[in-house]
Amino acid sequence: MDIDGEGDSMDELKSLRITTLDDDDEDITVDEDDNDEDDEEEEEEEAVILGFVEKPEHNWSLLRQQFPSKTGGVPAWLDPENLPSGMPCVCDICGEPLQFLLQVYAPLVEKDSTFHRTLFVFMCLSMKCLLRDQHEQWKRHPDKQSRSVKVFRCQLPRTNPYYSSKPPEGNATDRPLTPGAPLCNWCGTWKGDKFCSSCKVARYCSQKHQVMHWRLGHKLECQEPSLSPQASDSSTCHGGIGQSRAPIVASKSLWPEYEMKNEHESEYDTEMSGDEGHTDNSLITSNRVDDGMKSLMDNFEGDGDKKSWASFQERIAKAPEQVLRYCRSAGSKPLWPILGGRPCKADIPLCSYCGGRLCFEFQILPQLLYFFGVKNDADSLDWATIAVYTCEASCEGVGYKHEFAWVQLGTSINCPS
Ligand SMILES: [Zn+2]
Ligand SMILES: [Zn+2]
Ligand SMILES: [Zn+2]
Ligand SMILES: [Zn+2]
């Protein structure tokens, strides 16, 4: 049927050339093979951008009008009004509101609608939920999956109601054009569309957070509204039209906030001398990762896993403090630490909005947990990698679109095959 639309199919051909010229129907059988041998070679050719965490230089550096990439703290929502609400904000397994993990500012130059584009990752704090999530992701019915890790994509054209079309000055004078939706006073993360019934000032995303706040301080505050931060400084409560600092958040359990800085992986190519990561900056490898992973090596059954782990380690050792690897180009693939527990193409759902393919965009490394101060206990949150797949077309639409995360845990025992 496509034969007539020559112009269109030329474009499609370009992007599909790597896989096959045949019908979609054949993809599943053809692509399963992809999983096995040829990843490593292709991987070497991809230009990967690495993400590193740093304490923010200024208190305004991570505000949304600066279009930051950041980890921990609260999200700097790109579209400050049409925030996700309801079910998307909670863990599908335990029902707790999800915690903000990180966001990556990743605009795409090819179209105006993606002039600004940010990807947000949230997860449940419970390792039990992540283990359940791990099983769910293998079910090939995306609409029925119960997940504890969720990814949202938001994009805006250059001319939009929320930000100036001029680039930010990169200083404290930058202001967004609108205040944005009021946020939960407890988590500072999700929309605060429920009020404290007593003072009618404090706002919450959920009853759970209202109860938390009540127990841990609001009970007193509530009787004297002048004490509460939102009453004394309205600019912070609403994400502020004159927002020059981050909103005040009552919860003390958010992860520590860092700015994420990018570097090309190629810049680290010459720094390694075959010393297997025992360089000065091998803080992480010598500390958290080595310990956890040595015991993990014992669980590996085949040589495949050991080989896969060794080549993963070798690659990561170029810059052991990396927390994120970004590579959005045709055919790019995650660097899998372990052979087992990798998805094949049929495990990656189609975009639930446009029906198009999802492609790999970035992966999150467990080094981030070290910077977050997460303990290395048996029941602490842990993962080998989280790979994020997003709509290849980065399809249009207002607000936040669900994308897909694939979690690979530290052992291959959960894999079906
Ligand atoms: Zn949960
Ligand atoms: Zn909340
Ligand atoms: Zn109250
Ligand atoms: Zn799409």
Side-chain angles (χ1 to χ4, degrees), residues 209-262:
H209 282 179
Q210 182 180 359
V211 170
M212 292 288 272
H213 199 198
W214 185 259
R215 285 195 199 137
L216 294 161
H218 186 64
K219 192 176 177 180
L220 292 172
E221 228 172 47
C222 188
Q223 289 146 17
E224 256 181 290
S226 62
L227 287 179
S228 65
Q230 62 275 10
S232 59
D233 186 354
S234 62
S235 70
T236 57
C237 160
H238 292 266
I241 190 158
Q243 189 190 51
S244 55
R245 55 200 169 102
I248 292 167
V249 175
S251 170
K252 299 279 181 281
S253 61
L254 299 183
W255 281 311
E257 187 172 53
Y258 293 98
E259 183 166 7
M260 192 154 47
K261 294 274 176 75
N262 301 326

Side-chain angles (χ1 to χ4, degrees), residues 82-144:
N82 303 291
L83 305 186
S85 68
M87 285 305 284
C89 313
V90 303
C91 172
D92 295 328
I93 295 155
C94 71
E96 290 290 325
L98 295 172
Q99 180 138 307
F100 173 67
L101 186 71
L102 58 82
Q103 68 186 73
V104 179
Y105 182 66
L108 302 176
V109 289
E110 57 257 32
K111 49 183 186 173
D112 182 55
S113 61
T114 53
F115 184 84
H116 296 295
R117 179 172 174 275
T118 305
L119 300 156
F120 299 81
V121 183
F122 298 85
M123 70 190 298
C124 179
L125 294 172
S126 156
M127 187 60 198
K128 259 188 207 154
C129 290
L130 191 61
L131 287 164
R132 284 272 306 277
D133 175 285
Q134 175 73 183
H135 289 282
E136 289 287 322
Q137 74 182 358
W138 289 98
K139 296 180 185 169
R140 292 179 184 175
H141 305 285
D143 41 317
K144 287 180 188 162

Side-chain angles (χ1 to χ4, degrees), residues 313-364:
Q313 277 294 66
E314 196 185 326
R315 185 88 182 255
I316 297 297
K318 289 182 190 178
E321 298 194 14
Q322 60 188 281
V323 300
L324 184 124
R325 300 174 61 84
Y326 183 95
C327 184
R328 189 187 195 272
S329 59
S332 75
K333 286 174 182 164
L335 181 63
W336 296 110
I338 306 161
L339 207 60
R342 301 187 301 176
C344 67
K345 282 221 174 119
D347 292 314
I348 307 298
L350 295 173
C351 173
S352 53
Y353 304 92
C354 71
R357 285 170 194 254
L358 301 188
C359 61
F360 169 67
E361 184 154 359
F362 64 86
Q363 72 187 99
I364 304 164

Side-chain angles (χ1 to χ4, degrees), residues 40-88:
E40 279 93 305
E41 288 89 333
E42 283 178 46
E43 205 85 51
E44 300 297 342
E45 295 158 24
E46 302 292 347
V48 177
I49 295 168
L50 305 180
F52 298 90
V53 292
E54 273 178 23
K55 277 289 165 198
E57 275 177 60
H58 307 282
N59 58 1
W60 46 262
S61 312
L62 301 181
L63 298 176
R64 60 189 170 88
Q65 60 268 33
Q66 305 295 345
F67 308 104
S69 292
K70 58 170 290 195
T71 72
V74 296
W77 292 113
L78 180 61
D79 177 334
E81 272 163 21
N82 303 291
L83 305 186
S85 68
M87 285 305 284

Side-chain angles (χ1 to χ4, degrees), residues 177-189:
L177 301 179
T178 61
L183 301 171
C184 173
N185 287 148
W186 177 253
C187 66
T189 301

